[in-house]
Amino acid sequence: MTAAIKPDPTLPEPVQPNPVQPPSGKNRPKNIFAPEFVRPAVRAAFTKLDPRSVAKNPVMFVVELGAFLTLYIAVANAVTGKSWGYELAVGLLLLLTNVFANFAEGLAEARGKAQAASLRAAREGTMARLVDGSQVSSSALKKGDRVVVETGEFIPGDGEIVEGIATVDESAITGESAPVIREAGTDHSGVTGGTKVLSDRIVVEITSGAGESFLDRMIALVEGASRQKTPNEIALSILLSALTLVFVFVVATLPSLSNFVGAKVSITTLVALLVCLIPTTIGGLLPAIGIAGMDRALQANVIAKSGKAVEVAGDIDILLLDKTGTITIGDRQATRFLPLPSVTEAELARAAMLSSLADPTPEGKSIVVLAKSLGIDVQAPEDAEFIEFTAQTRMSGIDFQQPGAGGVSIRKGASSRIATLAAERGGSVPAELQGRVDEVARSGATPLTVIQDSRVLGVVALSDIIKPGIRERFEQLRRMGLRTVMITGDNPLTAAAIAAEAGVDGFMAEATPEDKLRMIRDEQAAGKLVAMMGDGTNDAPALAQADVGLAMNSGTQAAKEAGNMVDLDSDPTKLLEVVEIGKQLLITRGALTTFSIANDVAKYFAILPALFVAAFPALGVLNIMHLSSQSSAILSAVIFNALIIPALIPLALRGVKYTPGSADSLLARNLLIYGLGGLALPFLGIKIIDLLLTVLHLA
């Protein structure tokens, strides 16, 4: 394999729309318990006590019903002169359990709403100037409207640039201060409402109506208003509901059993037992875990259109990447002139420069820059006629009259088309040309052949520059068990060279949109979960078909609409963060479920002996924690059951740290830390609470 592609040092640094780098610090989360998060979370903790809201979570709904029942008993006992302190304590503790669960969910939502507030500020108060000169509010724009945006003005809505090129400040969306280039007719033509034009003038065609913009959807998503439960979350909710129902039936049979053996058990004690038996810990934290998963994606500058997309990302098997604009910078740069033996480099450079003086493409501009770096500086004759590139001719060039030499016709284009043109003009193709073309292709560059009249002069190498740091990121994906495949329309030689330099596991050359779609479907039919990354309109079908479609924010509106995630940084290796977030979400949910079920064991040893030890003194051997009394044992278990929820909020919101490894090693680690820890911690916690209650004479 040939050496890696390197840009000519004489060329100016190519424009890179978005550099490969870690997510911006601007979107890094603040302290979980920052005052701006805690205040709304405290309000939500009490407003969410509305039974209509709690009913969405069956586990916590049972806890709230138990709280209301025991509080009613406490009030009834107080009215009739009976003892009511124990009942009141249990009722308040159960209500506090609900408050803590609501607080966890409210805290997760508050973090998202804080992000939404800054996003909302980016879209408010923007005026739009239509192409006819009239001005309207951005909220009045309709799909298809064309607006003019000039230096210093904000783009009023999502759209595609249909005319011009501009430097755009997208920091309000991405958090990155470095401006980016957006240009009509390229895969970097998509713009987002609320971003600011720093230079030049563009005409934007609006692609979304009021309330349908990218920012509107972002705001709804990060606020949690559009969050739907994922399949795994629904399955776990069903399991928790089933366990709750089973324990309801179990506890419902205890009065008959206790009466039969002569052990009187109060309704308050039965309610406390039920609440300690059902998995309240994971039931209270489950909504917060799901919301926090999407929030962590946003912190990585990725907008997930659903929680399912984040979750599925944790199980991805194969990643397909479009080459241009994703793996490479996207704008090919002229890096070398390769003249044929009978031609000088200066002669080839002069002809290539003349044919590119009116070429508006990045490739044409770079040819002019490269020629000037060699000391070539020519001006087009006044009577010159420039020939634009078309898909049919696959050539561009210039025709002009040269004094004393007659008409001159220069063309540059695909080597096969230039060979045909040479034959049409009565010339021939030197045998050395194919060697030059193959040399350029093997290096991963694109060969562009130049002909003057009927004489072939040589080849210009257009190098597609690999984004820096990408090879190392692909290696990390490989360690996580993902296979990476580059998809490109380039010929196999060029594709192989770029694939080798980028470090992907495989490639598909000369691929059409249909080929991309077919490959994704074939992998899915084989039972694989597929992620697709792309930025162009031709990537849209594949992005829509993939299990995870990650569109580049720098790409077209069609790509962003088709994907179920949008990377605001347009970082081709951002899936590394997305996969880690998905795995972290799954691991966190599994770890806290394991902990929740395991810590119920200690509660059994606290409450069950307390219920029946009077009737069956032999059960005293089960009181391995040596709890001081029946009421102390029950209150200690209920207090621990309530306090463990806020204690686990940081873990639920930040997530369990993911370290690459096999499924067996992750399971063993999960069981050791959260299974064994969930078993041991409650014994210690309940015993400490019992000692405090005894010392304070509260039980």
Side-chain angles (χ1 to χ4, degrees), residues 236-288:
L236 182 56
S237 297
I238 293 173
L239 173 62
L240 298 180
S241 300
L243 286 174
T244 300
L245 186 61
V246 167
F247 284 123
V248 166
F249 285 125
V250 169
V251 173
T253 64
L254 286 180
S256 299
L257 179 62
S258 60
N259 289 335
F260 179 76
V261 298
K264 183 175 178 59
V265 180
S266 68
I267 294 177
T268 301
T269 300
L270 290 174
V271 170
L273 173 63
L274 173 61
V275 170
C276 289
L277 288 177
I278 62 178
T280 52
T281 305
I282 184 61
L285 294 173
L286 190 58

Side-chain angles (χ1 to χ4, degrees), residues 356-634:
S356 304
L357 289 173
D359 189 342
T361 65
E363 293 90 342
K365 294 174 184 176
S366 71
I367 289 174
V368 174
V369 172
L370 181 58
K372 286 185 176 181
S373 72
L374 298 176
I376 308 298
D377 191 6
V378 296
Q379 300 295 324
E382 293 183 0
D383 63 344
E385 178 186 357
F386 290 98
I387 311 301
E388 293 185 3
F389 176 87
T390 67
Q392 289 73 31
T393 63
R394 293 192 295 160
M395 294 184 300
S396 63
I398 185 174
D399 292 335
F400 61 93
Q401 294 293 322
Q402 185 170 331
V408 177
S409 178
I410 302 174
R411 297 288 185 273
K412 65 177 190 294
S415 58
S416 59
R417 184 65 187 90
I418 295 298
T420 303
L421 180 63
E424 292 173 354
R425 292 180 172 181
S428 61
V429 178
E432 294 87 355
L433 178 64
Q434 190 59 46
R436 300 287 193 278
V437 170
D438 289 344
E439 178 186 346
V440 172
R442 280 194 298 270
S443 71
T446 301
L448 200 64
T449 303
V450 180
I451 183 173
Q452 180 170 328
D453 298 326
S454 61
R455 182 189 180 203
V456 178
L457 302 180
V459 175
V460 180
L462 299 177
S463 298
D464 214 352
I465 309 301
I466 300 292
K467 291 187 176 181
I470 198 169
R471 187 182 186 91
E472 293 75 14
R473 306 299 292 280
F474 284 151
E475 179 59 35
Q476 289 179 274
L477 288 170
R478 193 173 297 111
R479 289 197 297 269
M480 295 171 69
L482 274 75
R483 185 164 65 93
T484 53
V485 177
M486 181 187 77
I487 302 179
T488 176
D490 286 338
N491 64 71
L493 281 175
T494 301
I498 293 177
E501 183 181 358
V504 294
D505 297 316
F507 66 90
M508 174 189 285
E510 299 178 340
T512 64
E514 292 76 17
D515 292 332
K516 299 177 187 179
L517 196 59
R518 189 180 306 110
M519 183 176 185
I520 292 174
R521 287 173 175 168
D522 289 345
E523 294 289 348
Q524 289 172 332
K528 304 290 186 182
L529 289 177
V530 182
M532 170 70 190
M533 298 183 70
D535 63 351
T537 300
N538 63 338
D539 297 321
L543 288 167
Q545 177 66 36
D547 299 286
V548 174
L550 184 57
M552 304 289 103
N553 186 47
S554 63
T556 62
Q557 198 67 24
K560 289 189 281 187
E561 291 289 343
N564 52 20
M565 289 185 179
V566 178
D567 174 21
L568 301 180
D569 292 328
S570 301
D571 178 349
T573 59
K574 183 58 69 64
L575 197 72
L576 181 66
E577 280 85 8
V578 175
V579 169
E580 287 183 346
I581 291 166
K583 289 184 180 295
Q584 190 178 41
L585 175 61
L586 295 171
I587 292 171
T588 301
R589 190 182 294 144
L592 291 181
T593 300
T594 302
F595 183 91
S596 179
I597 294 174
N599 72 19
D600 286 341
V601 174
K603 300 169 193 173
Y604 305 157
F605 282 97
I607 295 182
L608 288 178
L611 289 178
F612 298 108
V613 72
F616 299 99
L619 289 178
V621 298
L622 296 178
N623 184 17
I624 58 178
M625 288 180 281
H626 301 289
L627 303 178
S628 58
S629 66
Q630 181 186 44
S631 60
S632 176
I634 294 170

Side-chain angles (χ1 to χ4, degrees), residues 26 198 333 620:
K26 291 188 178 182
L198 299 180
Q333 306 285 318

